[in-house]
Amino acid sequence: MEGIALNQVTKVFPGGVTAVDDVSLEIEGSEFMVLVGPSGCGKSTLLRMVAGLEETTDGSISIGGRDVTFLPPRDRDIAMVFQNYALYPHMTVRQNLGYGLKVRKTPRREIETRVAEVAKMLGLETMLERRPAALSGGQRQRVAMGRAIVREPAAFLMDEPLSNLDAKLRVGMRAELARLHSRLGVTTVYVTHDQVEAMTLGQRVAVMRDGRIQQVDEPQSLYHDPANLFVAAFIGSPAMNLVEATVADGSVSFAGFTIPLARDRRPAGRHGNRFILGIRPESFEDAAFSDPSLPRVDVIVSVLEELGSDAHVIFPVDAPRVVAEELKAVHDEEDEGLIADDQRAQFNARVDPHTKARSGQPIRLTVDPGTFHFFDPDTGESLVAGRGSGRSARAPRRRRSGGARAR
């Protein structure tokens, strides 16, 4: 399958607004690459530039080794799936599926054969004579996917194709997309603002902010080895807990707690002892169900969320919320002051579902310092020894579809 290469691609709109800023990215043939980031980060603009729907201000784009920077969309051999399905309402499912082939003057018999094959693949055989108005949201999305598949393009470009579906249907369609990619092996670039979608679908994920790629890696590497504060805060649900901390004499101190650190988890490469500490929710556990050798902290439960398979204990710590430039795009304005306008940092601990924690009551938690992350408060860069953007953004891929790089 053919890959896609972006070389120092830039897009500046009239008025001087830079939507995409010097992006270089190589996507291997057959790879499923996800572009993820908050609204306005440039991910959809970048996808539309690959499709030829937006002109490139600077840089070059190639598909299958062929420079397509100045080619119109019809000559790029790509198929795009949009958020709003973009089906023709007056046409049947059969006609929608075959329309792209008809425009290309494909022989009628070949159109019928390919439409029948795709309809069977997507479970649309009984719906071929229906019109879009008679289909559910999930069925319409399958028709939109089928219309792209039937063309047998060099690459699929998908712009938030599941965002109009309800939560349960989105989960089902994610699984269908993963199975479909496994079966077809077509190079796919998928745009979403939903980091759960990115983590579950992508073979690799490119995290974007302000028109630039912050980090490119496999999903689990992004989660366990974020290059900077933005990636750490954006990837993960619930989000990483963040607080200002100091490190001295082999221990980290924050919000009145002092926790000893393993040598390989101490921050490196920076003078001074002021840091931003990041702790994933699963690094905590109810002490009643945890390793007794781990450090313990006593907290007061603000909110208990019982989810069946686990429980989330939300509690305040005696420290202000982290306010950093890198986090402004991550958190919506309405997220500020969620709990009675409490200005203290609110932590989330994912604990055993059998916890006896109750709102308003004290609880003893353990915390694993071997999973702590440290970030420079000025630059946002990761400071854990051997980790961060210098390695993870360019790490060789370990998946079947081969190596790729990002600059």
Side-chain angles (χ1 to χ4, degrees):
M1 286 293 173
E2 299 177 341
I4 298 172
L6 309 178
N7 182 34
Q8 297 181 306
V9 171
T10 297
K11 175 63 180 181
V12 181
F13 284 106
V17 177
T18 301
V20 176
D21 188 5
D22 194 29
V23 168
S24 292
L25 178 66
E26 290 188 4
I27 303 166
E28 289 271 329
S30 301
E31 184 176 12
F32 198 119
M33 169 67 75
V34 176
L35 306 179
V36 67
S39 296
C41 71
K43 56 189 184 295
S44 289
T45 301
L46 185 59
L47 190 78
R48 290 173 63 83
M49 291 167 72
V50 175
L53 300 176
E54 294 286 356
E55 292 183 358
T56 302
T57 304
D58 199 6
S60 64
I61 300 170
S62 65
I63 299 175
R66 182 174 63 116
D67 191 332
V68 299
T69 310
F70 302 106
L71 292 181
R74 66 178 178 274
D75 295 331
R76 298 194 181 200
D77 195 19
I78 53 92
M80 195 157 182
V81 181
F82 297 92
Q83 175 180 343
N84 61 359
Y85 317 136
L87 302 178
Y88 296 104
H90 63 287
M91 292 184 183
T92 64
V93 169
R94 186 189 304 278
Q95 291 168 331
N96 268 285
L97 290 175
Y99 184 74
L101 297 177
K102 182 179 178 181
V103 169
R104 293 186 172 201
K105 302 189 184 306
T106 304
R108 182 175 178 179
R109 182 167 296 180
E110 184 179 347
I111 294 176
E112 291 174 352
T113 299
R114 284 162 67 171
V115 166
E117 289 174 352
V118 169
K120 183 177 181 180
M121 181 189 305
L122 298 176
L124 297 171
E125 300 146 291
T126 62
M127 308 172 197
L128 288 173
E129 304 311 319
R130 297 186 193 177
R131 286 184 168 78
L135 303 176
S136 68
Q139 291 166 343
R140 292 180 194 179
Q141 191 56 267
R142 276 187 281 162
V143 175
M145 287 295 304
R147 187 174 57 186
I149 294 167
V150 79
R151 289 178 49 196
E152 300 177 358
F156 292 139
L157 307 180
M158 303 186 185
D159 190 6
E160 304 207 44
L162 308 184
S163 59
N164 286 340
L165 305 180
D166 61 54
K168 185 176 181 179
L169 192 52
R170 287 181 73 157
V171 172
M173 285 299 297
R174 283 206 304 264
E176 284 195 34
L177 278 173
R179 285 196 299 269
L180 195 60
H181 179 262
S182 178
R183 181 173 178 177
L184 298 175
V186 178
T187 307
T188 302
V189 185
Y190 186 101
V191 161
T192 181
H193 65 276
D194 185 338
Q195 57 95 15
V196 174
E197 241 173 55
M199 296 287 282
T200 54
L201 280 173
Q203 289 179 325
R204 284 193 307 151
V205 177
V207 183
M208 295 189 65
R209 172 191 172 219
D210 295 338
R212 289 178 172 266
I213 292 179
Q214 301 294 300
Q215 187 175 0
V216 184
D217 215 324
E218 297 178 8
Q220 289 303 308
S221 295
L222 291 177
Y223 187 82
H224 294 293
D225 191 10
N228 56 43
L229 187 58
F230 176 84
V231 176
F234 190 82
I235 298 295
S237 182
M240 180 182 284
N241 301 299
L242 299 170
V243 68
E244 291 190 4
T246 58
V247 175
D249 301 323
S251 297
V252 58
S253 298
F254 64 97
F257 305 115
T258 298
I259 307 292
L261 292 171
R263 184 173 297 276
D264 66 352
R265 210 64 196 179
R266 296 174 190 174
R270 182 179 182 273
H271 298 292
N273 70 344
R274 187 173 66 90
F275 305 93
I276 293 176
L277 170 65
I279 308 175
R280 293 286 185 193
E282 60 270 21
S283 296
F284 291 99
E285 181 55 280
D286 186 329
F289 305 96
S290 182
D291 182 347
S293 68
L294 289 173
R296 301 185 174 203
V297 296
D298 294 312
V299 302
I300 302 295
V301 180
S302 291
V303 176
L304 175 66
E305 297 179 343
E306 297 180 282
L307 304 179
S309 60
D310 56 17
H312 294 173
V313 172
I314 299 172
F315 59 93
V317 296
D318 191 19
R321 300 178 183 186
V322 172
V323 179
E325 185 68 29
E326 291 83 355
L327 302 180
K328 289 181 180 179
V330 177
H331 303 299
D332 294 331
E333 292 182 1
E334 56 266 30
D335 288 340
E336 301 295 331
L338 288 179
I339 300 181
D341 293 324
D342 193 336
Q343 295 305 306
R344 293 177 295 175
Q346 300 290 328
F347 272 30
N348 190 315
R350 178 180 280 147
V351 303
D352 191 286
H354 299 100
T355 182
K356 300 298 183 184
R358 294 294 178 266
S359 296
Q361 299 298 312
I363 185 175
R364 178 164 291 177
L365 302 173
T366 58
V367 62
D368 182 2
T371 62
F372 285 4
H373 296 265
F374 291 91
F375 304 95
D376 188 307
D378 300 318
T379 67
E381 292 300 304
S382 174
L383 296 172
V384 177
R387 298 176 184 270
S389 60
R391 181 182 69 82
S392 57
R394 289 180 286 273
R397 295 177 57 238
R398 298 180 291 278
R399 297 204 175 206
R400 175 176 53 82
S401 51
R405 63 185 174 88
R407 294 193 297 273

